[in-house]
Amino acid sequence: MATSILSKLLTLIEESSGAYSIQALARELDVTPAHVESMLEYWIRKGKINTSTNLTECGSCSAQGDCPFVLEMPRTYELVMGQDQQSDLDPHVMCTHK
Amino acid sequence: MTKTIALAGNPNVGKSTLFNALTGSHQHVGNWPGKTVEKKDGLLQFGEQEIKIVDLPGTYSLTAYSIEEIITRDYIVNEKPTAVVAVVNAANLDRNLYLVTQLIELDIPVIVALNMTDVARRRGLAISLNGLSERLGGIPVVETVGNRSEGLEALVDAIELVTKHPHIGNVQTGFSGIVKEEIGNLREEIEDQENLKDTYRPGWLATKLLENDQEVINKLDSLGAGELLTSAQAARKRIENQTGEDPEILIADQRYQFIDKVIDSAVERPRKTAITRSEKIDNFVTHKIWGLPIFMLLMWLVFQFTSNVSGPFLDWVDVFINEFILKWTVWMLDLLGMGNTWVSSLITDGIIAGVGGVLVFVPVLLFLYLALGIMEDSGYMARAAFVMDRVMRWMGLHGKSFLPMIIGFGCTVPAVYATRTLENEKDRKLTAFLATFMSCGARLPVYVVFGAAFFGASSGTLVFAMYLLGIIVALITGFVMKNTVYKSQPPAPFVMELPPYRIPRPRDVWHQMWERTHGFLVKSGTVILGVSVALWLLMAIPAHQETGPFNQVNPGDSLFGRISGLLAPVFKPAGFGSWQTTGSLMTGILAKEVIVSTMSQIYAGESQPVEGNTATFQEDLVSVGIGFGRAVYLTIQETINIIPRTINLIPFVDLGELDLLPSDGEELDFTRLEGSLIKAFEKTAGSPRAGAIAAVSFNVFVLLYIPCVSAVSAMRQEFGRRWMWAQITYTFVIAWVASVVVFQVGKLFFI
């Protein structure tokens, strides 16, 4: 019997059958999008959600972060499923969130 | 005794800027004891008084999840600074106030420095300083703009006031119900224990015990506070039984609700229930039924725009390079006594034909990057992944995988590296694999030259079909692999930040368009120039002595012609089994644009020189100028014609198109390369219609076959040699099968 908005947020993401936008979550929970982002940060700290970062460098490419083809992609938050299949690469090694 | 003020705040809120402004050159930089995290402190002087300022690490919270959080709270709890200045990003109060509430819970004087207020104002947020102060229990709130040193005086005044009259805020009212009750009970128990009361702030310690903070529990255990820990455990159990929630989550939730109330009363912001303009657009654009057709229609428009609108400029650049530049270069070489020498051949048949053959497509890329730039800057591009999520999920793939695939429309190399944003190793490999099927900008010149040669005004449809086919092949490949070799758990749900829609800013769009085109020009002057010179050499060397001397050999009898000819039969079932196409595909592995430059060089070597143009330099220059004006005129016409062409997609609708410069029955205007390709493909395939089918088959092969060396080496670097070879083999086989099917089935239906 989850009563907190924080738990409801996690349940909504867990039970969703597809991608959610921050705005849609805010509407469902009757809070502001900024409030949703703030609560997502909480779940990131708790290790329940991962967040993606933007790519700014491509290995040995000479463009070194100035590649005009790297689009600024939106930030995404993903439910952590299991640890067994996690990538052994740390995206923070090469990428920084814009 | 020197008083100490600690600066705390979330990362990137301008804390260091404020620290520098407060301390000036009186700074000391070192490390926190036993940690690799940087520690900075300095002195703030006003009058004769000196105050020590300590810059704490940037942190979002005071839990024990990261080293920064532990350093910050240990410093405040153990060192007990006189006060803490909480530096807050005014534009993102929801996130920043979480730390502020936790600082106030520590029962120490807190000053809020509301930084970045200029950004908040630009976003339409009006913050009441008094309102905020009142809701946070009367703590001082001052406005600062750190990078302009604004508000520093007010901040120093607040620091001076707090050091003289410490005032502790109160956010305990934020807690309610059983949480408040249990915090109160534990607090009383802590206040009864002298050794704990002096070390910890009772209210904060009670909250941490209910949060089951292991760091704090271990410390209390070592202090012999077993009874208190038992009480805390019982309290946690009671909360859990009554609410069905983990007390830690409940406490965090009540903090967020408190913050929401604080902001509601202190900040003027859009109502929660108000639907923004972006949301209204999204309701339609990302709709579960309409979203996908809208995405397809937009893609179709982009390629109509790219292929047809750029056409007049493409023709003009072709005339400029292959007639004007070529003619006057030959004239100059003749003047220098180098006419008909190998130097002349290298410059005209090698460099101008090769590099010039690719530069002709600069207008096409400019228009593609313009269209993509508009989609990106308007905020739509982010929605594409959102829309495609349903399709991807249906195929068993991760919706997030479409983000690297979108990057693949520009260049495959960053797309491969962008898979690092995926958490699952299997998803990463699979997405990188699929991203190579996305049509990168380098493949576009191939589609455009074949589209214009064989499909005229419908060339945009061919380009659109190639991009679409790339997505379809990627999805089918992904579906098959996900259900066979890459079986894994279903994709994890995800949340996406959708930026608000906005009118694209011309300066930003121009910048993106220019940067990307500039990258293409640099590649033309380096990779393509090098390949063109090497190719000229291979085409000048005879395969045998009897086929002719150096540089006077028929291209088909050159070393390059013979080697290509050996592999040509492989492509016969696909309808393009000539040495020319085979050779172009071979060099295309270096970079996809090279396919066009190679074809340009081969067919330039085979075709007869253009004769009969006896115009003077000035007359040619005037002709180039008139040609440019005509191109501008026709570009406007083609832009307008996108409207009837789009409406004509509706069955039984046939609107007429604008024709500002009627052709007076003249023949269609083909570039030199386009003309040569029509003849060559007709000859290889057997008839004009078979030639057109073979052209489509060739484009399908170019779309799907082995990516360029840069992309292949990116794959090797990221996933290893085995994976790289698997990809090379798979892409070659799938490209061959698909092009053979297109040619053979096409012949059955259309011939």
Side-chain angles (χ1 to χ4, degrees), chain B residues 28-33 37-41 52 54-55 75:
Chain B
H28 172 255
V29 181
N31 272 8
W32 288 94
V37 180
E38 190 181 77
K39 181 188 180 186
K40 283 201 289 189
D41 55 56
K52 186 180 174 188
V54 177
D55 190 12
Y75 178 82

Side-chain angles (χ1 to χ4, degrees), chain B residues 355-431:
Chain B
V355 178
V358 169
L359 287 180
V360 164
F361 294 94
V362 166
V364 180
L365 292 167
L366 265 172
F367 280 95
L368 173 73
Y369 297 143
L370 171 67
L372 290 181
I374 290 171
M375 282 174 80
E376 208 179 321
D377 211 48
S378 67
Y380 179 76
M381 208 62 123
R383 268 82 181 172
F386 197 76
V387 168
M388 283 302 287
D389 173 66
R390 282 184 202 94
V391 184
M392 301 287 280
R393 203 164 276 273
W394 183 63
M395 305 290 268
L397 301 169
H398 200 299
K400 258 171 77 177
S401 298
F402 203 66
L403 293 173
M405 285 160 79
I406 287 177
I407 293 176
F409 285 138
C411 178
T412 312
V413 178
V416 169
Y417 289 109
T419 61
R420 284 182 169 235
T421 55
L422 294 163
E423 296 301 321
N424 187 305
E425 187 68 15
K426 285 182 178 176
D427 281 340
R428 283 195 64 220
K429 282 185 173 173
L430 189 57
T431 305

Side-chain angles (χ1 to χ4, degrees), chain B residues 61-74:
Chain B
S61 148
L62 291 182
T63 43
Y65 292 118
S66 73
I67 188 80
E68 288 81 6
E69 289 178 355
I70 294 170
I71 289 173
T72 300
R73 79 175 199 192
D74 278 359

Side-chain angles (χ1 to χ4, degrees), chain A residues 3-7 17 19-20 23 27 38 46 53 68 71 74-75 77-79 85 87 89 94, chain B residues 65 245 248 253 256 279 376 389 393 398 400 420-421 423-425 428 493-498 516:
Chain A
T3 51
S4 67
I5 300 180
L6 264 172
S7 296
S17 55
Y20 246 121
Q23 288 83 352
R27 189 161 299 286
S38 184
K46 290 279 284 175
T53 50
L71 307 177
R75 195 174 193 203
Y77 302 86
E78 185 185 353
L79 200 68
Q85 291 177 335
S87 165
L89 283 165
M94 295 179 65
Chain B
Y65 292 118
E245 285 276 17
E248 189 195 347
D253 192 70
Y256 283 120
E279 281 179 89
E376 208 179 321
D389 173 66
R393 203 164 276 273
H398 200 299
K400 258 171 77 177
R420 284 182 169 235
T421 55
E423 296 301 321
N424 187 305
E425 187 68 15
R428 283 195 64 220
F494 76 103
V495 179
M496 193 181 271
E497 240 176 30
L498 294 180
R516 288 168 184 165

